[in-house]
Amino acid sequence: MSQSEESNKASYIQPPIKVPFLDLQKQYQSIKPEIDNAIQNILETANFIKGKAVHDFEQAFADYVGAQYCIGVGNGTDALILALKAIGTGIGDEVITVPNTFIATVEAIVAVGANPVLTDIDYETYTMEPEVLAQSITKDTKAIIPVHLYGMPCNMDAIMEVATQYKLKVICDGAQAHGAQYKQFPIGMYGDVTTYSFYPGKNLGAFGDGGAVVTNDEEIANRIRMLADHGRIDKYQHQFYGYNSRLDAIQAAILSVKLNYLEKWNKRRKEIAAIYNQKLATIKDMSLISIPNYAEPVWHIYPIELSRRDELQQYLLNRGIQTGIHYPVPITHQPAGQNIKALCHYGKLEIMSRRILSLPMCPEMSNDMVYYVVENIKEFFSN
């Protein structure tokens, strides 16, 4: 039987276990009474915008991520835009970030009129490479946006050293890193600002769009809060033109409930990652992400690299295992990104985008599911 015939045959066999990439339905069912009650309270009070629910969540999330101030906003992209606007980024400025990120990171830079500059990454951790960062700085550089990709903290001491030397602001993109720690401290303590997304699939996800900006700078916090609410200090007193980007009360109430479980869920992600790390490390034709001694990742994504990526993805799918690709097309290869100033290794980046595969990773996975994934990967390579 040919390989293609074997693949087609396998697709008709009911797998012994089905492994979703993530399971938001199961997560909701596990805390359904609390979630339903939180939503009902908002419906009964009819305080849908601002109010106590939003304030309480902002305060709790600020404490959790190690920041003094938190401003809930409409989504993670808005969080980046508002942070850039708050530090005065505009036309003619350059903002340095990385090429292997969701387009929103670059999109936010363009949205404020600035020019994105893509510096290179450490191809073992997939995060910003501090050693080449300084080479990307020009007289027009305004800020640096490190991305804590996949929930892996960047090397913040080294990045901050460069930023301090050149007097640049640092806005950390923490959209995938809720609860991640750098040198045993929450990542929200580092940089001038850290932004978060509460897209439903995140480690801390809302039931729709949502985001937050955290900072220890009171002036920046006040400006972001005004920018997010039409530039006003009172209902009809507008200091400048702003935006309408507010975290609504229903989402805040949901997030407050889920925040109480985030440490438990992140702990489970770490347990799953530990199994993957141990059981997959011996496969010669596949590489795993490196974990620096300064980082405690929260495994929003568990990436692997291999040359036969598409074959393995189909092989696993035929056996009931869902996977993902983060991200299949680099920003430099997107139609929207043709004119971006990129100082990264195109060749390495393109090869990586063809090799990267995201394994199932969610707190609702049982050990049976995790070992089923491992066994099937090993079987693929043994064949």
Side-chain angles (χ1 to χ4, degrees):
M1 185 180 291
S2 69
Q3 185 175 359
S4 61
E5 289 172 330
E6 172 69 22
S7 177
N8 288 335
K9 180 181 177 183
S11 65
Y12 292 101
I13 298 173
Q14 182 72 20
I17 298 177
K18 288 189 177 181
V19 185
F21 187 68
L22 74 166
D23 196 338
L24 297 181
Q25 290 181 333
K26 190 171 182 180
Q27 184 185 86
Y28 165 60
Q29 290 299 327
S30 72
I31 53 174
K32 184 179 185 299
E34 292 175 76
I35 291 288
D36 292 354
N37 184 60
I39 294 172
Q40 188 62 37
N41 285 341
I42 300 300
L43 297 178
E44 289 177 357
T45 61
N47 291 325
F48 301 115
I49 304 295
K50 297 185 177 181
K52 185 177 185 301
V54 176
H55 176 269
D56 288 351
F57 171 72
E58 288 177 338
Q59 192 168 38
F61 190 68
D63 291 341
Y64 179 76
V65 301
Q68 191 171 353
Y69 306 100
C70 171
I71 303 93
V73 298
N75 53 69
T77 308
D78 283 359
L80 285 165
I81 292 171
L82 294 166
L84 286 165
K85 290 289 288 185
I87 65 168
T89 314
I91 295 171
D93 291 331
E94 290 184 350
V95 178
I96 301 171
T97 190
V98 290
N100 61 326
T101 181
F102 184 57
I103 196 170
T105 313
V106 173
E107 190 176 41
I109 298 168
V110 175
V112 300
N115 300 313
V117 176
L118 305 183
T119 191
D120 220 343
I121 62 169
D122 178 335
Y123 287 86
E124 293 187 353
T125 65
Y126 306 123
T127 58
M128 182 175 282
E129 175 54 80
E131 291 186 8
V132 299
L133 175 59
Q135 300 170 24
S136 305
I137 295 170
T138 71
K139 62 179 178 59
D140 296 319
T141 305
K142 180 77 175 183
I144 303 166
I145 302 183
V147 180
H148 301 302
L149 193 70
Y150 305 144
M152 176 67 69
C154 299
N155 187 346
M156 289 310 301
D157 281 348
I159 291 170
M160 292 305 298
E161 185 177 339
V162 174
T164 301
Q165 180 182 351
Y166 291 92
K167 297 181 172 139
L168 301 173
K169 295 291 187 183
V170 175
I171 298 171
C172 295
D173 184 339
Q176 299 182 358
H178 314 72
Q181 293 194 339
Y182 175 80
K183 293 188 174 179
Q184 300 183 325
F185 291 100
I187 58 170
M189 295 178 62
Y190 298 89
D192 297 281
V193 178
T194 301
T195 65
Y196 291 89
S197 166
F198 300 129
Y199 185 78
K202 303 298 187 186
N203 291 34
L204 179 64
F207 283 7
D209 276 318
V213 186
V214 304
T215 181
N216 289 313
D217 187 311
E218 184 178 9
E219 184 178 346
I220 290 177
N222 290 339
R223 187 160 182 84
I224 288 172
R225 192 172 294 282
M226 291 171 67
L227 279 166
D229 192 21
H230 302 287
R232 61 185 168 186
I233 55 174
D234 202 354
K235 188 169 183 178
Y236 295 116
Q237 293 186 29
H238 306 267
Q239 298 296 102
F240 45 78
Y241 294 113
Y243 302 85
N244 180 12
S245 182
R246 298 168 300 207
L247 180 66
D248 72 69
I250 287 179
Q251 300 301 343
I254 292 166
L255 290 166
S256 286
V257 172
K258 296 180 80 172
L259 183 59
N260 292 327
Y261 292 89
L262 184 54
E263 278 298 293
K264 174 185 174 182
W265 291 338
N266 281 345
K267 180 183 178 183
R268 179 57 185 158
R269 287 176 183 270
K270 293 171 188 176
E271 291 171 352
I272 295 167
I275 297 173
Y276 283 153
N277 289 340
Q278 180 185 9
K279 300 298 182 181
L280 300 178
T282 56
I283 299 177
K284 294 181 181 179
D285 297 323
M286 187 179 77
S287 59
L288 309 180
I289 189 170
S290 295
I291 307 172
N293 57 14
Y294 58 71
E296 186 175 334
V298 287
W299 303 105
H300 173 62
I301 299 293
Y302 188 96
I304 60 174
E305 269 196 68
L306 70 159
S307 58
R308 298 167 61 195
R309 188 267 307 278
D310 294 344
E311 292 177 57
L312 176 59
Q313 185 173 41
Q314 186 59 52
Y315 185 89
L316 294 177
L317 184 61
N318 289 343
R319 286 149 180 81
I321 300 168
Q322 295 180 354
T323 58
I325 300 175
H326 300 82
Y327 298 96
V329 182
I331 292 171
T332 49
H333 291 55
Q334 300 278 359
Q338 293 302 302
N339 297 320
I340 290 176
K341 183 178 177 182
L343 304 175
C344 49
H345 287 93
Y346 281 102
K348 280 188 179 181
L349 190 66
E350 190 170 4
I351 291 169
M352 185 185 77
S353 69
R354 293 198 302 263
R355 290 170 52 89
I356 204 95
L357 182 70
S358 305
L359 299 185
M361 171 58 74
C362 64
E364 292 71 36
M365 287 180 71
S366 66
N367 278 356
D368 285 345
M369 289 180 176
V370 182
Y371 284 109
Y372 181 67
V373 174
V374 168
E375 288 165 6
N376 277 278
I377 292 174
K378 287 185 172 182
E379 183 181 280
F380 170 83
F381 281 100
S382 68
N383 290 337

